[in-house]
Amino acid sequence: MERNTALTVFDSLSSGVRLDVFRLLVKTGADGMVAGEIAQALEIPANNLSFHLKALTQVGMLGVTQEGRFLRYRANIPQMLDLIGYLTEECCANDPGQCATMRAASTCDPAVLPALATTHTQTSGAF
Amino acid sequence: MERNTALTVFDSLSSGVRLDVFRLLVKTGADGMVAGEIAQALEIPANNLSFHLKALTQVGMLGVTQEGRFLRYRANIPQMLDLIGYLTEECCANDPGQCATMRAASTCDPAVLPALATTHTQTSGAF
DNA sequence: TCAATAATACAACGATAGTTGAAATATACA
DNA sequence: TGTATATTTCAACTATCGTTGTATTATTGA
């Protein structure tokens, strides 16, 4: 992923409305949701939601398909993964052993995620 | 991770300076870097860098330790993992099979990352 | 103690983002 | 064709962010 893409994506996720929308669509996966359904689920005025859907779509985090007079939005999971890859790039260049527990992150398995916070300890003790 | 924490973290990563700083410190891992080294590496005026270091520290993405008159900054890797977990939460609630290739994301192994973009295809064909 | 260095704090300016209300486009159905 | 619905577009206002220049704090070493 290019630096500027990552910047626009992070910016797109720094709004409460857009973060809620994206996470909702991550959960629905390939099914996606129609704009009206999203507005109803998150209780956001249609025009305001439209503003944020456009922003998310322009940065590539959402895809759209028309269904009659409805617009169906879907999360762009591959781009989300690219973003994660960009952020974690060379994260353990100096000490590969430090990264052992990071391998399991960004998983869909809820059983794996809770363990991360406790198993991954920094050697510096700064936190 | 709480919603508001995720928001402030995403906001902190939506600035070019801060994204560069954080990625640099991710690479140095537990060693971290002194403020002056970061300023030199990224060619950023000291006062401006200080502004962004403070922002990153306040949202918990960086940790600081004093070494004489130097301040050493380190990336908060566990929080980065929490953020990734928050973003990808329940990402495949409806179809666990879709998530198979996502398991490998957020890894430190450079051999794994390039494969993600090609192996993970959406069933919708929207992208 | 005094000078030099590392880093932060403050003030001010210009630029950009988010929300709201009103209007417009486009599709569906009678 | 005409009306209702889904969604977007536009204008305007407020609020917030990032950079720069200047001043300040804190630590080191003579």
Side-chain angles (χ1 to χ4, degrees), chain B residues 59-99:
Chain B
V59 305
M61 288 303 278
L62 298 186
V64 209
T65 53
Q66 187 141 17
E67 297 181 357
R69 59 179 152 176
F70 302 91
L71 287 178
R72 182 167 297 270
Y73 288 89
R74 295 182 181 84
N76 186 347
I77 306 291
Q79 173 149 302
M80 179 182 74
L81 295 176
D82 283 350
L83 182 75
I84 293 171
Y86 183 79
L87 192 62
T88 60
E89 201 175 85
E90 298 177 40
C91 68
C92 300
N94 298 332
D95 180 4
Q98 279 190 298
C99 286

Side-chain angles (χ1 to χ4, degrees), chain A residues 59-112:
Chain A
V59 304
M61 288 304 277
L62 297 186
V64 209
T65 53
Q66 187 141 18
E67 295 181 1
R69 58 178 153 178
F70 302 91
L71 287 177
R72 181 168 298 271
Y73 288 88
R74 295 181 181 84
N76 186 348
I77 306 292
Q79 173 149 302
M80 180 183 74
L81 295 176
D82 283 349
L83 181 75
I84 292 171
Y86 183 79
L87 192 62
T88 60
E89 202 175 86
E90 299 177 38
C91 66
C92 300
N94 299 331
D95 183 3
Q98 278 190 296
C99 286
T101 57
M102 296 182 65
R103 190 71 49 92
S106 180
T107 176
C108 302
D109 186 353
V112 175

Side-chain angles (χ1 to χ4, degrees), chain B residues 24-44:
Chain B
L24 179 63
L25 292 177
V26 163
K27 288 174 185 134
T28 62
D31 291 341
M33 284 177 83
V34 163
E37 293 173 347
I38 302 172
Q40 192 171 9
L42 301 179
E43 295 180 348
I44 300 167

